[in-house]
Every structure is written in structure tokens, then in C-alpha cells.
Amino acid sequence: MAIEGIIGRKIGMTQVYAEDGRAIPATVIQAGPCVVVQRKTKAARTATHKNKKTGHTSTRQVTDGYEAVQLGLVEDRKVKRVTKAMKGHFDKASLPPCRVLREFRVDGGDEAKVGDKVSVEQFSPGDSIHVVGTSKGKGFQGVVKRHHFRGGAATHGSMFHRAPGGIGASAYPSRVIKGLRGAGHMGDERVTTKNLTVVRVDAGKNTLVVKGSVPGASGGYVVIRKG
């Protein structure tokens, strides 16, 4: 199995027209290009470490326990304020720093290696994909918006409109049961939209047009995996 996925950035929504004249709501994603920053293997391998102060070089056997590749999204803007740990991580791969890194599982026989390029050309119109993103944050919300509570009557004098109502027993068990739906922080969480259809692929501009909506705001990072 090759690397079946890519990192992207949501540009926004638009509509495209099918051959029969139907208007299709679609999302445009800047997908890639990506580069393999690290190769993780299940089998043991020899790792070399050089002490910068003493110049002494040591070797040891290490294993990651699973087969995967770490991809970095190549962007036009320069990455600033890179920590020393991440700088060493990219220096080891002889690559410039990337702002966004994500892992993709591969088979043990996959020959992907550090420095390989991953582009949007792996997708074709009609392909089914899953898109993972971070939903829009909506702050602190009440039970009507957050959990779709019906609320009380809107008429004058009811005195009960959007309040949560009773939240538990009194004498027994004298506590609020765990998992009770209530007001609180809403949004800003990992969301996966499954089985979206690829409408168009532009390899020259590294863009992907997908039927329907994907999680998150415009400019947010997403992960695209083949369905």
C-alpha cells in the first residue's frame, strides 16, 4: 500500500456545474505538496547519535512498533520560531522545517523513504475520500444550541424559555450523574467527514475540489485520506 493520503488547507466553498447543468456545492482544498519527513518501521533499526560537545558517536537498536510515514506540508510562507528539538528533527532528514506534520499508516513492504514527494495526483475525479479537520469554535454555548434541547414555551409569562431544567436528584444520589448534557464549550474539536466525492483535481495548482463541505473554517488545515 502506498501513501494513501495528503495534508491540505481549506481555501473555501464554491459551486461547480455538472455536465447536465446541476450546480454542485463544493469545497476547494489546497492539497500538498507534501514531503516525507520521517519513516517509522516495526522492525528494529540502527540509530546513530553524535554528541555535539564531545564529538563521540554512539549507535543503538530502536523500533517504532508500527509502519508509518510522517508527512510535512510544504507551504510558501517561512516557518519561524522553530524549537531546537524540531530543528534537529528536520536537520536529520535534511529538509527545511514544516509547520504541519501528520502521520499516515503504510504497509511494511512500502518503499517510501525520507525526502519522497507526495502530491495531489494520487486522486482522481469520482474517488471517495475522508476529510479530517478541526471544527469551528463556538465558545461557551447553552443547552439549546449545544444539545438541541427544545426549551420551554415562548409565550409571555411562562418564565421558562432556554434554561436547562432539572439536572439530577436531591436526597439520592445527591450528585449530578456523569455524562449529563449541559451548557459548555462547543466546537473546536476533531471532526471526520466520510465518503466525500472528488469533483476536480488540478495537479498544476495542487488543488482538490470536493463535493460538499469539510470541517473547519477557511484557512484551516485538514487531512485527506482515501476512502
Side-chain angles (χ1 to χ4, degrees), residues 185-203:
H185 183 268
M186 182 179 178
D188 191 29
E189 57 187 2
R190 178 189 170 106
V191 177
T192 302
T193 304
K194 293 186 175 182
N195 301 321
L196 296 175
T197 304
V198 176
V199 179
R200 293 177 184 171
V201 179
D202 191 335

Side-chain angles (χ1 to χ4, degrees):
M1 178 183 71
I3 303 172
E4 295 187 344
I6 200 170
I7 309 171
R9 198 158 178 254
K10 179 178 176 180
I11 297 176
M13 290 201 69
T14 183
Q15 63 181 10
V16 295
Y17 292 93
E19 293 181 357
D20 58 1
R22 290 180 299 111
I24 302 173
T27 304
V28 182
I29 302 173
Q30 185 81 36
C34 294
V35 62
V36 177
V37 178
Q38 185 183 20
R39 178 73 164 91
K40 298 195 173 185
T41 58
K42 192 172 184 179
R45 67 180 188 277
T46 303
T48 304
H49 173 71
K50 183 176 181 180
N51 190 313
K52 292 184 178 180
K53 292 184 178 179
T54 63
H56 177 70
T57 302
S58 60
T59 59
R60 60 192 177 97
Q61 294 292 107
V62 296
T63 179
D64 299 301
Y66 61 98
E67 298 285 341
V69 293
Q70 185 185 73
L71 296 186
L73 178 61
V74 179
E75 299 182 88
D76 294 333
R77 54 182 176 173
K78 183 180 179 181
V79 180
K80 299 179 181 178
R81 296 187 294 274
V82 181
T83 62
K84 286 186 177 180
M86 292 307 297
K87 184 178 183 301
H89 182 65
F90 287 104
D91 287 346
K92 184 178 180 181
S94 301
L95 295 170
C98 299
R99 184 185 301 270
V100 183
L101 298 173
R102 295 291 186 272
E103 276 193 10
F104 294 82
R105 291 294 185 102
V106 295
D107 288 337
D110 191 88
E111 297 181 356
K113 57 185 182 298
V114 174
D116 286 354
K117 303 294 189 298
V118 180
S119 71
V120 75
E121 293 178 351
Q122 62 180 292
F123 300 100
S124 302
D127 285 353
S128 178
I129 60 173
H130 306 324
V131 180
V132 184
T134 303
S135 63
K136 292 181 179 180
K138 300 183 183 299
F140 191 98
Q141 296 296 332
V143 292
V144 174
K145 183 178 179 70
R146 192 180 187 213
H147 295 297
H148 310 292
F149 280 20
R150 181 174 178 272
T155 53
H156 175 71
S158 74
M159 303 294 288
F160 177 76
H161 303 294
R162 299 174 70 91
I167 62 171
S170 177
Y172 180 82
S174 297
R175 61 187 175 86
V176 178
I177 304 299
K178 288 183 179 180
L180 181 81
R181 293 177 300 166
H185 183 268
M186 182 179 178
D188 191 29
E189 57 187 2
R190 178 189 170 106
V191 177
T192 302
T193 304
K194 293 186 175 182
N195 301 321
L196 296 175
T197 304
V198 176
V199 179
R200 293 177 184 171
V201 179
D202 191 335
K205 296 181 179 179
N206 295 306
T207 56
L208 202 63
V209 180
V210 180
K211 182 180 179 180
S213 61
V214 303
S218 297
Y221 294 103
V222 295
V223 171
I224 306 157
R225 302 178 189 273
K226 289 189 176 182

